[in-house]
Amino acid sequence: MKKPFVQIALDYPSVEEALTVAEVGVAAGVDILEAGTPLIVAEGIRAIGELARAFPDMPVLADYKTMDSGFKNVQLTKAQGGHYMTVCANAPDETVQSAIREGKTSGIQVVVDTIGVPQQAERAKTCADWGVDWIYLHYGADQRRSDNTRDTVMWLPEVLQTVNIPVGVATFDIEDAVRAAELGADLVAIGHPLIGVDDDSRRRLAEYVQAVKEAYRPRN
């Protein structure tokens, strides 16, 4: 894959819906399929395996937002044929570290999700020093509903200066995704409400992918 990577968040209540939208995403040119937290909650870890088997050439990320027993979710991801998993940056140190250790052993890439972290750059550096594979900056959906004048990109410049590992960004639309790519984000993720199966959603997702790829400027 060539940076920046585009990740599609499949936050659906059923595997069938997720597979349908995943097909739309692959056609639009996304790079990573995310088994979203709502999907795993509703359908269990089988959702990861269903995506991996249906799209064997696509990397699959399992978005558990792990808060305990990090190593176990790494093992589950491996067993289901996934490639990436998430652990919350504000989980206990021991949980993040156990995920990282198991990831090094199993070959699963561990992504630290910074949702809810007060000091984003500081925690990102700590996790990077422990050996995590990716930092994923995340201004959450509830935060966005409370204050839609802010988005994840506000933390990106400082974090990019602080760590030398790949940094991803949760985005809400083309505009913040393009800003993230211009600043040097290695990955952008998009989900509801931009994605869907109607013709307008297909068009907008394809435009999103193209705009991000064209806007990308590697960090200095």
Side-chain angles (χ1 to χ4, degrees):
M1 297 189 298
K2 185 177 179 180
K3 292 179 181 178
F5 305 150
V6 176
Q7 178 175 307
I8 185 171
L10 302 167
D11 292 329
Y12 293 94
S14 74
V15 168
E16 292 73 25
E17 290 172 282
L19 290 172
T20 298
V21 179
E23 188 172 351
V24 173
V26 171
V30 305
D31 302 291
I32 299 173
L33 302 177
E34 174 192 323
T37 308
L39 177 62
I40 294 175
V41 169
E43 294 279 39
I45 60 169
R46 79 176 187 94
I48 304 163
E50 294 279 2
L51 285 168
R53 288 186 291 273
F55 302 95
D57 296 327
M58 296 291 295
V60 174
L61 178 141
D63 187 20
Y64 306 100
K65 294 189 179 69
T66 306
M67 285 296 289
D68 195 12
S69 299
F71 72 98
K72 290 185 179 179
N73 283 352
V74 174
Q75 293 171 348
L76 291 173
T77 305
K78 179 74 171 182
Q80 289 294 319
H83 306 85
Y84 304 82
M85 63 80 68
T86 64
V87 59
C88 285
N90 56 5
D93 292 356
E94 295 83 357
T95 297
V96 180
Q97 291 166 356
S98 77
I100 292 170
R101 285 194 300 271
E102 189 65 27
K104 303 302 182 190
T105 300
S106 66
I108 298 299
Q109 293 199 33
V110 175
V111 180
V112 162
D113 186 319
T114 68
I115 191 168
V117 172
Q119 302 297 327
Q120 295 270 323
E122 180 180 336
R123 189 59 171 172
K125 184 180 186 307
T126 297
C127 294
D129 289 346
W130 289 336
V132 75
D133 298 290
W134 282 79
I135 302 294
Y136 180 65
L137 305 180
H138 194 173
Y139 185 66
D142 288 333
Q143 292 172 299
R144 177 76 169 187
R145 281 187 282 268
S146 176
D147 182 358
N148 65 7
T149 66
R150 308 175 80 201
D151 58 46
T152 311
V153 184
M154 61 185 165
W155 299 309
L156 183 59
E158 184 181 7
V159 173
L160 287 175
Q161 292 177 358
T162 303
V163 303
N164 60 6
I165 62 173
V167 177
V169 176
T171 69
F172 297 97
D173 52 39
I174 290 178
E175 287 73 22
D176 58 330
V178 165
R179 286 190 291 115
E182 289 174 340
L183 289 169
D186 301 284
L187 174 147
V188 296
I190 188 67
H192 180 80
L194 187 126
I195 63 173
V197 296
D198 60 277
D199 289 343
D200 186 54
S201 294
R202 291 171 186 264
R203 175 187 57 78
R204 288 186 295 136
L205 182 57
E207 290 174 352
Y208 176 98
V209 173
Q210 181 179 356
V212 166
K213 300 288 187 181
E214 291 177 350
Y216 179 62
R217 300 291 183 272
R219 74 175 93 174
N220 295 327

